[in-house]
Amino acid sequence: MKVLSVVGNRPQFIKSGPVSAALRAAGIEEVGVHTGQHWDPELSDVFYEELGLPEPRHRLDLHTADSETMRPSIAAALTQERPDWTLVYGDTNSTLAGAEAAGDAGVPVAHVEAGLRSGDLSMPEEHNRIAVDAMAALLLCPDQRSRDTLLVEGVPGRIDVVGDVMADGCFQLAPIARERSRILAEHGLEPGGYLVATIHRQANVEPERLARIVDGLSRTGECVIFPAHPRTRAVLGETPPNVEVIAPVGYLDMAALVSQARVLVTDSGGLQKEAYWYGVPCVTARPSTEWVDTVELGANVLVDDDPQQLAAAVASARMPEERPALYGDGHAAERVAASLAAHG
Ligand code: UDP
């Protein structure tokens, strides 16, 4: 069996790590396509090196987030490779382009992170999620809630609950990260004595919203370390003295930083879950989330861009005493491989 995996940006490189290893272990051939949606070394190469990802056979180097531009080049790779499956991850334009190109080529699509919904149609990601799930022949869900969502939508593909592949990496690598990473010492941080902030969603890099979020971080009065995505950095003006802006960091440094933070302030999808798995409370600068359970359990608070609410939520952020396992057990990638093998 041959699987063509389409990845293009930071969270997809991270998600593909455990899956590539599981495919190899199951004797399934994997061919990688890297669209080049993220191309800065700090958003791309660092993850290939750190996570030992196999070099993609097709590096498209497109340097675009436009799915229509990506589609013909992915189609060419599909024509050359003739795989049994096209595997796509998450909700970016690379995900959409991969699924559409596979549809054109008549290759079945398997979607990792199927069935997630924030309910917010102003997010481009929400449109991608719905469109890709409608096209996929195999929907690989992180949990029962996402499966139920797909059943209500009536998608035609087969649905398998496999767990969350990000948990696999997180459970394996966080202990190693805390041992090896020097990032806390480099920035004079003590475990439990600082906040981590990441902001990069399209809506939040609009200057007025970003300024309100930074105002919220300022009002916390706590030491904040802020690894800033290039598109955020391009808009960030001068930051308050309690906020240290640094370049994006690799996976291990990020795991060390977040797992030892007092609170995470973010608009990232992946980091909301990682914070939960690390036992670190999260404050999310968005009006909605696709990781609803973290909010329902009280481990994550949605504050949108209100500075006062953000600071208040950070001040009172605590992990709930009841912390059930969410989104899998760290063996999702093995189930992805088994599902592809069983239904190919
Ligand atoms: N991440 C990282 N370095 C950083 C910021 C984030 O390694 O400087 C990791 C983070 O731990 C998580 C993933 O990137 O595994 C989340 O990606 P991102 O926030 O870019 O995307 P989203 O999850 O919002 O789609």
Side-chain angles (χ1 to χ4, degrees):
M1 169 170 285
K2 185 172 181 179
V3 173
L4 183 133
S5 303
V6 180
V7 293
N9 71 359
R10 174 168 67 189
Q12 292 168 339
F13 310 136
I14 293 168
K15 289 166 196 170
S16 74
V19 176
S20 288
L23 292 176
R24 268 196 308 281
I28 297 172
E29 183 189 357
E30 184 189 28
V31 174
V33 173
H34 182 328
T35 64
Q37 184 175 344
H38 278 174
W39 68 90
D40 317 55
E42 58 201 4
L43 294 186
S44 172
D45 296 352
V46 62
F47 298 103
Y48 277 84
E49 286 155 21
E50 252 189 350
L51 304 177
L53 303 180
E55 178 58 23
R57 189 176 296 166
H58 302 268
R59 265 193 188 268
L60 306 182
D61 274 327
L62 294 170
H63 296 200
T64 179
D66 178 37
S67 63
E68 285 304 313
T69 309
M70 296 174 194
R71 199 164 154 176
S73 308
I74 302 173
L78 281 160
T79 307
Q80 189 183 329
E81 300 292 349
R82 309 181 68 77
D84 301 291
W85 284 108
T86 299
L87 187 60
V88 296
Y89 294 87
D91 55 21
T92 72
N93 287 355
S94 294
T95 319
L96 180 66
E100 286 179 338
D104 295 343
V107 176
V109 174
H111 184 205
V112 173
E113 282 198 346
L116 294 167
R117 301 289 180 266
S118 67
D120 179 357
L121 284 167
S122 71
M123 290 176 76
E125 292 92 337
E126 186 78 351
H127 290 271
N128 291 343
R129 292 174 193 131
I130 295 168
V132 173
D133 284 341
M135 282 183 261
L138 185 56
L139 299 121
L140 300 160
C141 296
D143 64 356
Q144 197 59 40
R145 183 192 292 269
S146 39
R147 178 172 186 272
D148 293 346
T149 301
L150 293 172
L151 289 174
V152 170
E153 287 181 12
V155 297
R158 183 195 160 85
I159 305 171
D160 271 358
V161 176
V162 292
D164 193 312
V165 297
M166 278 189 127
D168 298 19
C170 199
F171 295 163
Q172 282 165 26
L173 296 174
I176 302 171
R178 280 190 293 271
E179 205 177 290
R180 296 210 193 134
S181 168
R182 303 268 81 77
I183 192 149
L184 268 71
E186 281 164 16
H187 294 277
L189 304 169
E190 292 294 333
Y194 62 93
L195 315 178
V196 174
T198 76
I199 296 294
H200 73 284
R201 295 252 89 75
Q202 192 171 298
N204 281 345
V205 297
E206 185 266 312
E208 265 179 31
R209 273 185 75 90
L210 186 58
R212 285 167 64 77
I213 293 166
V214 172
D215 181 17
L217 294 175
S218 167
R219 291 182 195 209
T220 66
E222 295 190 51
C223 167
V224 182
I225 186 124
F226 187 162
H229 192 284
R231 78 171 176 192
T232 313
R233 189 130 204 183
V235 183
L236 261 179
E238 208 173 305
T239 45
N242 66 319
V243 179
E244 184 185 357
V245 177
I246 61 172
V249 297
Y251 184 80
L252 294 178
D253 279 343
M254 195 63 180
L257 274 179
V258 176
S259 65
Q260 297 176 91
R262 193 183 77 71
V263 181
L264 171 71
V265 180
T266 194
D267 65 1
S268 159
L271 276 161
Q272 292 174 61
K273 294 176 284 178
E274 288 176 348
Y276 186 84
W277 294 323
Y278 294 141
V280 170
C282 186
V283 173
T284 297
R286 276 171 48 181
S288 63
T289 180
E290 53 286 5
W291 304 107
V292 181
D293 309 74
T294 59
V295 175
E296 287 180 355
L297 286 164
N300 186 7
V301 181
L302 302 177
V303 295
D304 205 0
D305 67 342
D306 184 292
Q308 188 50 46
Q309 271 190 41
L310 190 154
V314 166
S316 60
R318 304 279 176 279
M319 278 310 269
E321 279 179 18
E322 281 283 304
R323 191 154 65 89
L326 285 185
Y327 316 123
D329 56 2
H331 296 280
E334 291 155 41
R335 292 192 198 97
V336 168
S339 185
L340 289 168
H343 307 297

